Amino acid sequence: MKKKHLLLSFFVLCFALSAFANSGIYLRGGVNSWAAVTDWEFTDEGNGVYTLSDKEIYGQFKIADSSWGDCDYGSSGGTLSLGETLNLTAKGGNISCPETFQCSKITFTRFDDGSATLLLEGSIGSDDVITEVYIIGNNNNWDFNDTSGKLSATNNENEFKGTVTLGAASGENVCYWRIYERLGMSGSWGNPGGENTTGHKTSGTLERNSEGCVTTNPGTYIITFNLNTGAYSCENIPSVASGYEIMPQQAVLVKNVPEQVKVLSLNNSLIDYNDQNLMFDEICINRNKNASWTKHTLLGKSLLTHYNEGEGLTAEGVASAKMMVRSEAWSHIILQEQSATPRTNLKEFRESVRLWKEYIREYCPNPNAIIILPMNWAYNDWDSFKGNNKILLDSYMTVAQEQGVVICPVGMAYEAILDAEGSEACELLYSDNRHPTPRASYLAACMEYQLIFNELATDINYHPESITADEAESMRKYATTTVSSFICPTDHHTGKLQLSINVVDQFGIVMESVNNVTWTLSGGGVLNDKLQFTSDGTHGEFTVTASNADFTRTITFVVGDAVDKKKDEPVIEIDGDKKVIYEDFDGIGVEATATLPEGWRIDKQLSAPRTVGTFGTAVEVTEQTGGNSIASNAKNGIWNFGAGDAAIATDRAIGGISTGVDNGTRCINVYLHIRNTGSSTIDKLDISYDIEKYRQGNNVAGFAAQLYYSPDGVAWTSAGEDFYTFFAQDAATQGYSEAPGDSKKVEGALNYSVEVGKDIYLAWNLSVASGTAANGAQALALDNVRISIDDKDTKIEPLENSREDLNYYIEDGHFKLIGTIADKILIYDMQGILQRNENQTWEANLKQMSSGVYFVKVINKNKTDTVKIIIK
């Protein structure tokens, strides 16, 4: 084929690939938690036709773009069937699958007039074996992807059983629920005939595809269900005293408001509506406060959903809630629960707050972050408002007492308005039956301001344009009186902490208080006869012990200030002046317990191979030393390796050895913490390093080194195949007479942006290449690490006769050798005229040399290497 025909074919191929490209349109539903997931993105076939292939769908879904914007298509009332076109309408309702469909092809067609159709091709049914089913209802706020209502398969055919707590619905005394064969609304089983039961039902028979609900009194039950017959039964588990518990658990008191207030909220629509966070920011600007509020929103979702997002980026490519918690030394973290959960599912609410509190204390750069729970308000059903608000208040107070967190009593301000001005005035706080109007969001923002800064909301002057000055003044008065009169078990501004000891049931729920107890307090402060601790200003960890003839229980709590753990972490700075980080570990010496250079850490993972830990929990000291002839039974763990005789070798490297013994090392991680202290964003890092092998290993899987990177030293992303190094199985597990016996150089560019003032963490994982067996281990080590940001002034180009074992780089206008001292460094211009003559050195100064092309000759031990340098 002629060259021009090849070129034409190439452009035709490129055009074809671009024509059938990703569309930005997704199938979003219960099958993927309603997210815009790459695997569910349609392919644009052209002419308004979009297709998906080889997908199993069930439950409810819509066709939409990532923002529910211009493309948002749903049902216009028809029935979805295989092989039949279904008309869709913009902003329509959810599309429901009557069965599970195995779709070979899904075709979405969008017409110029705005109408659309959907066609599914394939078969009915799923090949998956059902191993669990789910109770979905008021117990989990009808969250069709929540697993808290799981029933697992028993040894009896098609029988499922599990323990589930059923909570009452809004304004009801019973819980409404159905059973689903899988998450995402697939295979519903409900009361026969589609009608709800009435009263307290604990047994009966369900019908597949029925939308009728079962009604059961609130409580915790062992629920059994038969998938063949539809029979179900609910066995109530009564509360039984299981022990004594002092509350709150692991509390923190912070009396001083930090100079910079940084608020993070993990929230849903109740804060997202009307941008309550921006109202707060404007209030702070008006009051000359250095403060900002960052929100992480999942519309309609619970705190547990936030928690289960994962450690890193979500499927949409945004930071998860946990990643947000780890990203800053937040002074205050607001945990906003889904609107009904605190009233209908106290068990989940308690567990969610506990999980988040423990995560914040361990991973937030400020472990003393003040945790705030904004109290939700009852729906605007005025006959039941006060009763439901009382349930909400009791739930929030229970959790606050248990966990030592703070309540912002927004729901009580709603009730104060109802009491003072009636339902018509209170109705003005609702945009529907639950979401706030701008005046309600302003009310909540003012309350958060007073709670955080301990300054009366009535002193605020700012209000948004969406409400009048009179409305704003009224909201500020209610905010002030409500916050001022509300008594929370934890009061940071006064340094008070309310303690209690109670009998709890098997679910951790308080049953009754305990009397005749002797209390002791270690450290400063006062504990009065009402069990209220008051700080005297002494910082530290305090211990409180409660005891009588039957028990002794102890808790600890902290009195301190906002801190920033990351400031205490060792770090290497890189900027426009210092563009290169180089480390050969030769400076750590020969001791077994050698201290690593600043910014470096290392750990051994005991749980599993190929597991990366956290920078913050890694150590700075090695455990063993070795070099030549490392024994086959050498100790596992962290090693300081020497090239040659370990006792005297000056060429060092760090790594380790894994093992298969119980509680032994499964892999080694070497960490580096870098901070961009320059004036501009770093777009990429040029990285090179050596992976050296100090002992052979006969593990059949071989061993490997993989580089990872992270913004916080906790959640890691693989740097990919360019930074993967593999060593195949050796014939035996034994040392080298001259170590290291093998070495592989890795070089590449890591395309990752590091903004000014932000960090990047690197981790080299040294591990068995596959499987779980970590015995017969090779001893791998990291050495000669060079990391640089783009150096636009000088280029280095090795000539064909350059030696592979000579390492060099340019930093700050100097040509520098890595790991060696040259007898001579000679620099010639293009005419062969000598420009520099350096003896017994590892560097040559290039700063005074003019632009042009030069040749550098490195002479060392009768070997010569030539390098071409281009100076711009």
Side-chain angles (χ1 to χ4, degrees), residues 471-578:
E471 291 170 339
E473 183 181 8
S474 174
M475 293 303 101
R476 291 195 294 266
K477 288 179 179 179
Y478 282 112
T480 295
T481 55
T482 304
V483 174
S484 298
S485 62
F486 189 78
I487 299 175
C488 187
T490 301
D491 188 332
H492 292 275
H493 297 296
T494 62
K496 296 183 183 299
L497 186 67
Q498 182 63 55
L499 306 180
S500 65
I501 185 163
N502 304 280
V503 177
V504 295
D505 67 10
Q506 69 272 40
F507 306 112
I509 302 292
V510 173
M511 297 181 67
E512 59 186 40
S513 58
V514 183
N515 298 316
N516 301 319
V517 176
T518 300
W519 294 82
T520 57
L521 167 68
S522 72
V526 176
L527 184 65
N528 66 21
D529 57 1
K530 295 182 179 179
L531 304 184
Q532 186 179 68
F533 168 82
T534 302
S535 171
D536 64 0
T538 303
H539 285 189
E541 185 174 271
F542 297 83
T543 300
V544 174
T545 302
S547 61
N548 64 14
D550 299 323
F551 66 86
T552 298
R553 295 289 185 273
T554 298
I555 62 166
T556 60
F557 60 90
V558 171
V559 178
D561 288 329
V563 297
D564 187 347
K565 285 195 299 188
K566 284 194 173 183
K567 288 182 179 178
D568 298 327
E569 290 182 349
V571 63
I572 298 178
E573 298 179 352
I574 193 167
D575 54 38
D577 293 324
K578 182 181 180 182

Side-chain angles (χ1 to χ4, degrees), residues 89-382:
T89 185
K91 306 297 181 181
N94 292 344
I95 306 164
S96 296
C97 290
E99 299 284 350
T100 297
F101 293 149
Q102 298 290 338
C103 298
S104 57
K105 187 176 183 180
I106 303 171
T107 303
F108 167 63
T109 305
R110 195 176 184 186
F111 299 100
D112 292 340
D113 63 0
S115 62
T117 61
L118 184 68
L119 176 64
L120 274 55
E121 302 172 63
S123 58
I124 297 176
S126 173
D127 297 330
D128 294 343
V129 176
I130 298 176
T131 59
E132 52 200 34
V133 297
Y134 301 89
I135 304 292
I136 304 291
N138 298 127
N139 57 295
N140 62 359
N141 300 298
W142 294 99
D143 184 345
F144 291 93
N145 289 288
D146 179 72
T147 61
S148 62
K150 180 174 68 176
L151 309 181
S152 299
T154 70
N155 292 328
N156 300 324
E157 185 178 1
N158 285 314
E159 182 183 76
F160 300 84
K161 181 180 289 188
T163 301
V164 181
T165 298
L166 302 178
S170 175
E172 301 280 352
N173 295 318
V174 293
C175 175
Y176 290 78
W177 58 272
R178 292 192 288 270
I179 290 179
Y180 287 81
E181 293 175 5
R182 65 171 69 191
L183 299 176
M185 299 184 68
S186 174
S188 67
W189 290 77
N191 192 51
E195 298 294 327
N196 298 337
T197 62
T198 57
H200 177 48
K201 295 286 291 184
T202 58
S203 63
T205 301
L206 303 181
E207 178 180 82
R208 197 173 191 278
N209 293 328
S210 170
E211 294 299 305
C213 291
V214 179
T215 54
T216 305
N217 287 349
T220 300
Y221 298 86
I222 298 175
I223 300 179
T224 305
F225 173 67
N226 189 291
L227 195 60
N228 278 343
T229 65
Y232 72 92
S233 64
C234 306
E235 178 187 351
N236 182 248
I237 305 175
S239 293
V240 176
S242 64
Y244 304 90
E245 189 172 281
I246 304 179
M247 300 175 181
Q249 300 289 320
Q250 298 176 329
V252 171
L253 276 176
V254 181
K255 289 190 66 174
N256 301 316
V257 181
E259 181 178 340
Q260 182 180 12
V261 169
K262 293 183 287 187
V263 181
L264 170 69
S265 64
L266 309 181
N267 60 271
N268 47 58
S269 57
L270 300 184
I271 282 176
D272 190 67
Y273 262 51
N274 312 309
D275 291 321
Q276 181 186 324
N277 61 309
L278 298 183
M279 292 184 182
F280 175 87
D281 287 349
E282 290 296 332
I283 291 171
C284 291
I285 291 171
N286 181 264
R287 300 286 297 165
N288 295 316
K289 301 294 186 185
N290 183 1
S292 62
W293 179 339
T294 301
K295 65 180 179 180
H296 179 79
T297 301
L298 291 179
L299 296 176
K301 299 302 182 181
S302 64
L303 284 174
L304 193 59
T305 306
H306 278 282
Y307 191 85
N308 291 331
E309 274 190 299
E311 295 286 345
L313 298 177
T314 67
E316 292 79 17
V318 299
S320 66
K322 287 181 178 177
M323 195 171 181
M324 291 296 293
V325 167
R326 300 193 307 269
S327 67
E328 290 281 359
W330 306 104
S331 61
H332 299 76
I333 296 181
I334 295 174
L335 303 179
Q336 184 200 44
E337 187 52 274
Q338 195 267 355
S339 59
T341 301
R343 181 178 49 77
T344 62
N345 195 343
L346 176 58
K347 178 182 177 182
E348 179 184 318
F349 181 39
R350 294 170 64 242
E351 180 68 5
S352 298
V353 174
R354 182 189 67 80
L355 287 171
W356 271 120
K357 185 197 73 174
E358 292 176 354
Y359 193 88
I360 290 165
R361 297 290 174 246
E362 182 170 3
Y363 293 114
C364 180
N366 173 24
N368 293 343
I370 294 173
I371 300 173
I372 299 173
L373 307 181
M375 176 191 162
N376 292 345
W377 47 92
Y379 297 166
N380 59 347
D381 179 351
W382 306 117

Side-chain angles (χ1 to χ4, degrees), residues 39-58:
D39 288 347
W40 290 87
E41 183 177 7
F42 283 87
T43 297
D44 186 350
E45 306 282 0
N47 298 319
V49 178
Y50 306 86
T51 60
L52 265 176
S53 300
D54 299 324
K55 293 295 181 185
E56 179 181 276
I57 65 171
Y58 48 82

